[in-house]
Amino acid sequence: MNLPLDGGGKRPAWTGGKLRPHTLFALETQWQSWLDVEATLAEVQAEMGIIPDWAAREIRSAASMDTIGVDAMKVHVNRTMAPVLSLTRLLAQAAGDAGGYVHWGATTQNVMQTGRILLIREADKVIRANLASTLKELATLAENHAATLMAGRTNRQHALPITFGFKVAGWIEEMNRAVDRLDGGSERLFSLPFGGAVGAFHAFGDKGQELHCRLAGRLGLRDLLVPGRAMNDLFADYVVQFCLLAMTIDRIAGEIYLLMTQEIGELGERLEEGTVGSSTMPHKVNPKFVVRVVSEAAELRTMAGMALETGRTSHEGDASVNQLVSSLCDRAIPLAWRLTESFEALLSRLSVNSAQMQRNIQLTGGAIATENLMMVLAPKTGRAKAHDAVHHALERNRPDAATVTEIMQSDAGISAHLTAEQIRQALDPAKYSGDSERIAHEAAAMARSIAERLVSVR
């Protein structure tokens, strides 16, 4: 394609040589994608003997906005209010004698929908590369902190000891599910909707199905049995997967944001020297990267409702829904691109305060590991009695200044079965982080595997 892609060696384009979120659906970019579709259609039709070979070559040669002219296109569209009609008329003029074969048997939505899908696919490649980088960052965090002890929290209260690597492992597995969903949405969306005016190949005659299969193969898209204009559910599906990705990213970023709270202080951002947090409070150094991620994720999530409206096409085509699809994609796809960039940037700057994690895990005075004490006591008393013994010991002695270890050691019902040293060992948080370390290492390997797959399919 003649699209302005990322990477070295690509042709100069209206975007300055590569696609970015703000140029992805710029008019000039969309127009060039339509020209690429028209030229590829002509080439496939020439292979099948539908139009002459020389005509296809002339159409391909003329199918560039450098040839058509952006200003000329804008003037023409202002007059016709039909952009694909204007494009094909100008392409026909530029193609000379071959102009009579331009847009042969096609209709406006065939070209517009296919061009949009091709542009989305380019964005999808970059988004996947961003997600690959994100997963590599998470893998490093999980691996480096597989044994870094911290408090696990449920209902925002201390629950059991875990490691930070274990927490990151949960993020990795959730990201894996998000990538799986995105894979499904991508596979379904990257299809060719090129069946003529209503999807039944009327203008292509008995060569319609073969033409569609060949064109799909040339463009690297999936074939559809009914390649009509009412396939907007595929766009809705794809955008909803991004909304779910935003939900996952927001859950992770939101937790990071909370752990940056000064009273918790377990995570932070590495900021450049000279960064200012507040214009009026000199002491403040506010988080900069996490807030952008949370904001962008919230904005993207809200588009799920709009996406679900786009699949409600009437009959075999509906311009009102098509306009809604365009509006949705124009906002959601670039935003998903920016969000994945922002999320990767946040993780690359994340700092872990393991000393503060160690201090925080001691806030309950050892109560965070009382489940372990209960399980050590249970073989001697039964699990229910062991639970009640530990619970009542805490309940009776909470106002006192004694440590949890001292409370349990002095409780007759517990000390009758366990020595003081056994009680002390059972209440050591460092000895009760479950399978956190193994899970963290396995999650790191999983993240790297997913990252490798994301890059390899580009």
Side-chain angles (χ1 to χ4, degrees):
M1 295 180 70
N2 284 329
L3 295 177
L5 308 180
D6 249 333
K10 298 297 182 181
R11 65 184 285 278
W14 307 105
T15 59
K18 63 179 181 179
L19 286 176
R20 290 293 300 151
H22 66 282
T23 62
L24 178 62
F25 296 124
L27 287 177
E28 293 90 339
T29 312
Q30 291 189 70
W31 293 341
Q32 182 60 58
S33 75
W34 300 349
L35 287 170
D36 289 333
V37 172
E38 294 285 358
T40 307
L41 172 65
E43 289 169 345
V44 172
Q45 289 174 326
E47 291 172 2
M48 295 176 62
I50 297 173
I51 69 172
D53 287 341
W54 63 266
R57 288 193 297 272
E58 291 300 316
I59 292 170
R60 170 60 76 183
S61 178
S64 166
M65 287 308 299
D66 294 324
T67 302
I68 299 299
V70 174
D71 291 338
M73 180 66 177
K74 289 179 178 178
V75 170
H76 209 289
V77 170
N78 284 338
R79 184 170 69 251
T80 66
M81 296 184 68
V84 171
L85 173 66
S86 293
L87 184 99
T88 55
R89 295 287 171 84
L90 292 172
L91 176 59
Q93 290 176 20
D97 291 342
Y101 296 102
V102 169
H103 201 60
W104 194 267
T107 192
T108 292
Q109 283 305 308
N110 294 165
V111 175
M112 293 180 76
Q113 286 180 322
T114 302
R116 184 171 288 279
I117 287 170
L118 294 176
L119 288 173
I120 291 173
R121 188 173 64 184
E122 296 306 318
D124 188 86
K125 293 175 185 177
V126 182
I127 289 168
R128 287 172 181 277
N130 293 340
L131 291 174
S133 297
T134 293
L135 283 158
K136 289 176 184 176
E137 294 285 351
L138 289 171
T140 300
L141 283 170
E143 209 160 55
N144 290 348
H145 294 282
T148 302
L149 201 65
M150 70 177 298
R153 297 171 173 93
T154 58
N155 299 319
R156 303 201 174 191
Q157 306 297 309
H158 283 205
L160 294 173
I162 59 171
T163 69
F164 183 60
F166 171 79
K167 179 180 284 292
V168 176
W171 298 346
I172 288 170
E173 196 159 43
E174 194 163 345
M175 287 294 295
N176 182 34
R177 292 193 290 271
V179 169
D180 282 346
R181 289 190 293 264
L182 187 58
D183 285 344
S186 301
E187 182 181 357
R188 290 184 289 272
L189 175 61
F190 299 149
S191 307
L192 181 64
F194 218 95
V198 295
F201 308 113
H202 287 68
F204 299 126
D206 60 2
K207 295 185 176 181
Q209 184 179 15
E210 181 185 356
L211 171 65
H212 192 268
C213 288
R214 288 191 180 212
L215 185 58
R218 181 68 64 85
L219 294 172
L221 298 173
R222 188 171 62 96
D223 192 20
L224 287 172
L225 175 63
V226 185
R229 297 159 55 184
M231 43 72 76
N232 289 326
D233 64 299
L234 298 180
F235 290 101
D237 175 13
Y238 184 71
V239 170
V240 166
Q241 306 318 317
F242 275 133
C243 295
L244 288 168
L245 173 64
M247 175 190 72
T248 294
I249 290 175
D250 188 42
R251 189 189 88 77
I252 298 169
E255 190 164 0
I256 290 171
Y257 197 16
L258 184 61
L259 293 174
M260 288 179 181
T261 306
Q262 209 151 17
E263 290 82 358
I264 300 175
E266 295 178 352
L267 297 178
E269 293 178 350
R270 289 187 294 272
L271 302 174
E272 281 78 12
E273 186 177 352
T275 301
V276 177
S278 169
S279 63
T280 188
M281 293 172 283
H283 68 283
K284 291 203 73 180
V285 182
N286 293 327
K288 303 294 184 182
F289 290 85
V290 69
V291 291
R292 181 182 303 125
V293 173
V294 170
S295 174
E296 289 173 344
E299 184 180 357
L300 182 53
R301 277 202 323 277
T302 64
M303 295 182 190
M306 182 179 177
L308 296 178
E309 293 298 314
T310 61
R312 301 172 65 248
T313 306
S314 63
H315 304 295
E316 282 64 56
D318 188 335
S320 66
V321 176
N322 292 337
Q323 290 189 24
L324 186 59
V325 168
S326 296
S327 177
L328 173 68
C329 290
D330 287 353
R331 294 171 58 197
I333 309 302
L335 181 54
W337 184 335
R338 292 195 300 272
L339 172 61
T340 55
E341 285 184 340
S342 299
F343 189 41
E344 192 276 331
L346 165 64
L347 293 176
S348 70
R349 289 173 171 271
L350 201 63
S351 62
V352 180
N353 189 339
S354 56
Q356 185 62 33
M357 290 179 174
Q358 184 63 38
R359 285 190 288 271
N360 286 345
I361 205 171
Q362 302 298 333
L363 289 176
T364 60
I368 195 168
T370 51
E371 182 191 65
N372 190 35
L373 177 62
M374 177 190 76
M375 295 307 296
V376 171
L377 182 62
K380 303 177 185 301
T381 64
R383 198 210 66 85
K385 287 184 178 178
H387 173 278
D388 290 348
V390 173
H391 175 75
H392 292 317
L394 285 172
E395 196 173 47
R396 286 192 300 270
N397 293 281
R398 272 180 184 159
D400 297 344
T403 67
V404 171
T405 299
E406 291 169 340
I407 290 170
M408 298 303 160
Q409 289 172 335
S410 62
D411 186 89
I414 297 172
S415 60
H417 301 284
L418 299 174
T419 67
E421 179 60 18
Q422 287 175 321
I423 293 171
R424 188 187 68 78
Q425 290 281 342
L427 290 172
D428 184 354
K431 291 181 169 57
Y432 196 59
S433 62
D435 220 2
S436 291
E437 194 167 345
R438 177 191 63 80
I439 291 170
H441 284 297
E442 290 191 13
M446 175 197 295
R448 290 198 172 93
S449 175
I450 302 164
E452 185 176 343
R453 177 174 63 82
L454 282 167
V455 175
S456 67
V457 299
R458 291 187 69 183

